[in-house]
Amino acid sequence: MRIELIRRPERSKAMAWLSPVIAVVLTLVAGALIFAASGIDPLQGLYVYFLEPLTLPFTLSELVVKAIPIIIVAVGLALCYLSNNWNIGAEGQLTVGAIVGSLLPILAPDFQNVLTLPLMLLLGIIGGALYASIPALLKTRFGTNEILTSLMLVYVATYLLDWLVRGPLRDPQGYGFPGSRTFTDFQVMPTLIAGTRVHLGLILVLVAVAGAWFVLRRTITGFAISTLGQAPRAGAFAGFSQKRMTLLVFLISGGLAGLAGIAEVAGPVGKLDVVISPGYGFTAIIVAFLGRLNPVAIVVAGLVLALSYIGGERAQIVLGMSSQTGRVFQGLLLFFVLACDTFILYRVRWVKPVHAAVAARPAE
Amino acid sequence: MSMAEAIIVTIIVASTPLLLAALGELVAERSGVLNLGVEGMMIMGAVAGFIATYETGQPVVGIVAAILAGMLMASLFAFVTLVLVANQVASGLALTLLGIGFSALIGESYANKPGIKLAQIRIPGLSDIPFIGPIVFGQDPLVYVTIALVIGVSYVMFRTRAGLILRAVGDNHVSAHALGYGVVRVRFLAVLFGGACAGLAGAYLSLVSTSQWLDNMTAGRGWIALALVVFATWLPWRLAIGAVLFGAVGILQFHAQALGIRVPAQFLSALPYLITIVVLVLISGNRMLMRSNTPAMLGQSFVPDR
């Protein structure tokens, strides 16, 4: 028995919708197996992990809080991946955005007026965009692989943050603990829904999603993004510059990652801390693919992945599950999404080798 | 042991896992497959090696378990990218995320437990020669295995028919297929070899370098191994030079104080990643060097026409 792929005459619309759903179901099945292997009743495990958080007001609002940075980053990454540019260093751009945006409230704590937060957000965007321009420029100027450089810069950013919050930017009144002074008043993201931690970032999500959708569907830039991604030669003949596109999508995705970073620091985290993100920049990669690189679908995908964080925390408290389970689910989910995507372009046929001579033909 | 001796020995310990993982990836890339999951396969090797050794008391069992864990991860990647022709970049990332998460999950109860260190080889007489003895004849067995593997891969790749087929598949899969070679089969085996090497590299970290299991203990070494392959322009013997260079940068932070270097510790920790970027830029800026050895089909999926 072996698998043979047969190209469909055209993309299967049904599979394009079904594939993420199948991937989520497969992840749930794998989750049940993991629960069973850990000695937890699979049904109870799945309920606590994936359903209960959707029924409680507190966890529901926390779901939105977690989804905010993930979706903002994922929207930018989708533009990158659509144009065949592989920025996987969003986590680093998020970190640098948070650092640069925090410079204002830390260095000028008395600068308190309505302009404070907008300036912080702007600085965050600039910081993230500039940090993302490094792998982009290295790619366009020297042909250096952007996958490796953008990832290496994540480690560099993490150490930079660690040094800053233990050294130059540490709170002088912090009793020697790492971390900057806590942001106050005009330096923090206003809460949108009283009694929850849902903050202004929710509006930023909507703006980012709508903006990306508009760019992709209604502008020549959006057309250039998908053309250069799917048919680089055709794009070149159309006069689209590959290099300018690389720079553009890196600046956009870096800027959005930086925005997510400063929104986290000025929002739920409240100060520049040693740890400001539990891997949102990497989770966003999964979200971008689960959302089929479509800005609107990414919102749904972002909520699903946020659930893997919230459910993980719940399962840890209620069932004593390892806090690492969520990361396993995330990895599995991306694998299943990628595998299921095959069926959009191909049909699968099981082939039985009929004859030894036939079977010995050049294998698949 | 003198200072120079100590530094050389730590460089060897730091370089070996990089060299092992990079060697496996080099073979996979020569067949045309870009597997970005080295970090994930490596960390699964580290945790499997540690647990198996801890439970049985036998480092040899741990090493076998690590190799199998690496191959298991690799086969998952190979199935998705070669049989289901999924995007290799994204699948490699998935493999890394899965490996980091899964290793943390199964290794959780083994964190901070005392491990068993793989013993060093001692050849009476030879190992006692001053300076040369401990460096040339007193390493752990995996160092010698690694050196043998580099020589072996070099030989097979450039002096045998199997190596020729491997490179043919990596340079033009359509022609290789037309000639009757099983493109998917060759690539599957190459990816499995890469997984075995990455798993072994992981075991080196948890059985030799530190003899304990720590969450996320590979700390980006899998990614540095990927950069090493580019640095070596897909030639095995250049990998060895690169691994020693990167290993030396990596251990600088441990010797910096003794050498009188006064900079923040975080800067020294970030140095290997910064150097990796600089080296990548220098190498990729040289088009001649890159074009001559880069597998032409690197990262491209193959679906045969029927």
Side-chain angles (χ1 to χ4, degrees), chain A residues 36-268:
Chain A
S38 323
I40 293 168
D41 176 23
L43 284 179
Q44 195 204 356
L46 289 178
Y47 175 74
V48 171
Y49 207 107
F50 295 104
L51 281 180
E52 202 183 36
L54 298 175
T55 61
L56 308 169
F58 172 71
T59 44
L60 260 182
S61 70
E62 281 301 290
L63 190 73
V64 176
V65 173
K66 284 259 191 291
I68 288 171
I70 300 176
I71 296 173
I72 294 180
V73 178
V75 165
L77 291 181
L79 298 183
C80 264
Y81 300 159
L82 278 172
S83 66
N84 216 3
N85 284 291
W86 293 96
N87 176 10
I88 62 170
E91 183 78 3
Q93 292 139 26
L94 182 148
T95 305
V96 172
I99 292 172
V100 176
S102 300
L103 289 178
L104 182 68
I106 294 172
L107 299 180
D110 298 327
F111 180 74
Q112 288 274 14
N113 58 52
V114 282
L115 281 178
T116 312
L117 190 63
L119 274 176
M120 285 166 65
L121 296 180
L122 187 66
L123 283 172
I125 293 174
I126 293 172
L130 282 182
Y131 205 58
S133 73
I134 300 173
L137 286 172
L138 293 181
K139 182 185 183 184
T140 54
R141 180 77 182 75
F142 302 104
T144 312
N145 183 317
E146 78 276 22
I147 301 171
L148 292 172
T149 49
S150 63
L151 189 99
M152 290 292 145
L153 287 171
V154 174
Y155 291 96
V156 176
T158 311
Y159 285 117
L160 176 68
L161 174 69
D162 195 76
W163 175 63
L164 286 173
V165 296
R166 289 175 201 279
L169 298 185
R170 192 176 62 191
D171 182 6
Q173 271 103 52
Y175 304 102
F177 284 106
S180 77
R181 52 174 291 277
T182 307
F183 301 165
T184 53
D185 306 322
F186 286 105
Q187 299 162 344
V188 293
M189 302 283 278
T191 308
L192 286 188
I193 304 169
T196 71
R197 301 203 298 164
V198 177
H199 55 85
L200 186 69
L202 187 59
I203 308 288
L204 298 177
V205 167
L206 299 179
V207 172
V209 169
W213 182 88
F214 183 78
V215 167
L216 280 176
R217 296 293 147 81
R218 291 284 180 271
T219 66
I220 192 86
T221 309
F223 181 66
I225 287 176
S226 41
T227 310
L228 284 172
Q230 287 168 18
R233 268 171 65 82
F237 287 133
F240 302 141
S241 160
Q242 189 92 54
K243 292 187 171 182
R244 283 182 57 185
M245 181 55 70
T246 298
L247 205 52
L248 177 73
V249 290
F250 263 87
L251 286 176
I252 294 175
S253 61
L256 284 173
L259 177 65
I262 184 62
E264 272 303 285
V265 166

Side-chain angles (χ1 to χ4, degrees), chain A residues 4-5 86 88 138 142 144 151-153 155 159 162-163 289 322 324 327-328 334-335 338 342 346 363-364, chain B residues 83-84 87 89-91 93 100-101 104-105 108 184-185 215 220 223 264 266 269 277 281 284 287 303 306:
Chain A
E4 205 170 77
L5 296 179
W86 293 96
I88 62 170
L138 293 181
F142 302 104
T144 312
L151 189 99
M152 290 292 145
L153 287 171
Y155 291 96
Y159 285 117
D162 195 76
W163 175 63
F289 279 102
S322 162
Q324 310 295 348
R327 289 155 78 186
V328 179
L334 181 52
F335 250 117
L338 294 168
T342 303
Y346 298 95
E364 52 282 275
Chain B
V83 179
L84 295 180
N87 181 305
V89 174
S91 305
L93 280 174
I100 291 174
L105 180 65
E108 204 170 33
V184 171
R185 190 179 309 152
D215 192 10
W223 293 101
Q266 291 92 342
S269 303
I277 295 172
V281 170
S284 50
R287 310 264 151 163
V303 183
R306 270 172 239 279

Side-chain angles (χ1 to χ4, degrees), chain B residues 1 6 25 62 76 78-79 91 107 112 117 122 134 141 156 171 183 201 204 207 211 219 247 251 257 274 282:
Chain B
M1 244 198 291
E25 177 66 15
L76 188 62
F79 178 77
S91 305
N112 302 318
K117 205 166 178 139
R122 267 198 62 82
V156 171
D171 278 330
V183 172
Y204 195 88
L207 296 180
S211 77
I251 57 121
Q257 234 166 5
L274 284 169
L282 290 179

